[in-house]
Amino acid sequence: MKLLLAEDDAILADALSASLAKAGFEVEVAPNGAVAEFLLLRQHFDVGVLDLGLPMVDGLTVLKRVRAAKPALPMLVLTALDGLEHRVAGLNAGADDYLTKPFDFPELEARIRALLRRTRGGPASSAQQLGRLSFDRDARRATIDGTLIDLSPREWMLLDLLLTQRDRVVTKDQIAESWSVERSESGAGSIEVYIHRLRRKLEGSGLAIRTVRGLGYLLEEGDA
């Protein structure tokens, strides 16, 4: 398996390159964003590991350009920035997975191999179909009868949580936790606003979000 490692920290790049080679990968190292973009667009790689804090061309820009040209290439993002807005920005730019520094090499290897397994399984393996809704977590696409639903980051995470907990009530505390905020920060009113917005966007999908009074919300088949 051929892997592109884009990392400007020479010591870390050498250590990761050596460990990945021992794990059976053929590794090409890019020390900056310009080289990473050039290699990823012009050579074949089975997977890319991209640090966001790259010099010359930042990692998010590289990620967006590569994703536009090679939508099926698995990309794992590394970053020292662990705030929610940074995770959301990386995922919205096209990252398939996200790992915050510092990390242990076994976790990096496991995440890379998980990405490769999903790729070998084909595009359909990551898509979930419920009613007329198709939800592809890897591609970060949600469609109703093939029409793309425009979801904000919080709406996306809310729908993801409801689908993951399908047939189980999702509490407001769980929703706040999925947003990586305290319940007091999200506010009951804020959650209700996003539930209302998501309900409207799911119209015609054959799905409904039911309010379970005093408990939370339940995603079920059948239009409200």
Side-chain angles (χ1 to χ4, degrees):
M1 290 289 176
K2 191 171 182 181
L3 180 149
L4 186 283
L5 172 63
E7 173 58 62
D8 64 311
D9 184 323
I11 295 176
L12 179 58
D14 286 346
L16 290 178
S17 180
S19 297
L20 288 165
K22 287 181 181 178
F25 292 96
E26 179 185 347
V27 184
E28 184 90 20
V29 177
N32 58 59
V35 172
E37 181 181 348
F38 179 87
L39 292 174
L40 285 167
L41 293 180
R42 288 164 176 77
Q43 295 186 21
H44 168 76
F45 291 96
D46 296 292
V47 62
V49 178
L50 182 70
D51 179 62
L52 289 187
L54 293 171
M56 296 184 67
V57 181
D58 68 272
L60 273 182
T61 299
V62 174
L63 182 59
K64 291 175 183 177
R65 291 172 179 173
V66 171
R67 180 57 69 223
K70 295 185 175 182
L73 178 64
M75 295 292 293
L76 186 148
V77 160
L78 304 176
T79 180
L81 304 173
D82 61 355
L84 174 63
E85 67 276 15
H86 298 110
R87 296 198 301 272
V88 169
L91 292 169
N92 283 342
D96 297 292
D97 202 356
Y98 199 104
L99 192 57
T100 303
K101 298 176 180 178
F103 55 84
D104 293 322
F105 177 75
E107 182 180 7
L108 173 63
E109 182 185 356
R111 287 175 179 265
I112 291 171
R113 294 196 186 281
L115 286 180
L116 290 170
R117 282 196 300 272
R118 290 205 294 268
T119 302
R120 287 197 296 269
S125 64
S126 65
Q128 181 178 356
Q129 189 76 36
L130 187 61
R132 292 187 290 280
L133 172 74
S134 177
F135 183 83
D136 192 329
R137 185 174 289 104
D138 294 343
R140 292 194 65 79
R141 284 173 54 87
T143 60
I144 297 175
D145 291 334
T147 300
L148 186 67
I149 310 173
D150 183 19
L151 297 173
S152 70
R154 282 196 173 185
E155 290 166 351
W156 174 271
M157 288 184 281
L158 177 57
L159 179 56
D160 191 358
L161 179 61
L162 288 166
L163 285 167
T164 301
Q165 301 294 322
R166 181 186 167 197
D167 299 326
R168 286 175 286 184
V169 173
V170 173
T171 68
K172 290 180 178 178
D173 284 334
Q174 288 175 300
I175 294 171
E177 183 179 352
S178 76
W179 289 347
S180 297
V181 298
E182 296 294 331
R183 170 75 176 273
S184 59
E185 295 176 27
S186 63
S190 176
I191 290 174
E192 289 165 3
V193 167
Y194 280 98
I195 287 288
H196 175 71
R197 290 176 182 172
L198 187 57
R199 278 192 177 121
R200 295 191 63 180
K201 292 182 179 183
L202 289 178
E203 289 177 358
S205 67
L207 303 175
I209 302 173
R210 179 162 64 92
T211 299
V212 182
R213 193 171 300 277
L215 294 176
Y217 304 96
L218 180 68
L219 184 69
E220 55 188 7
E221 294 193 58
D223 290 317

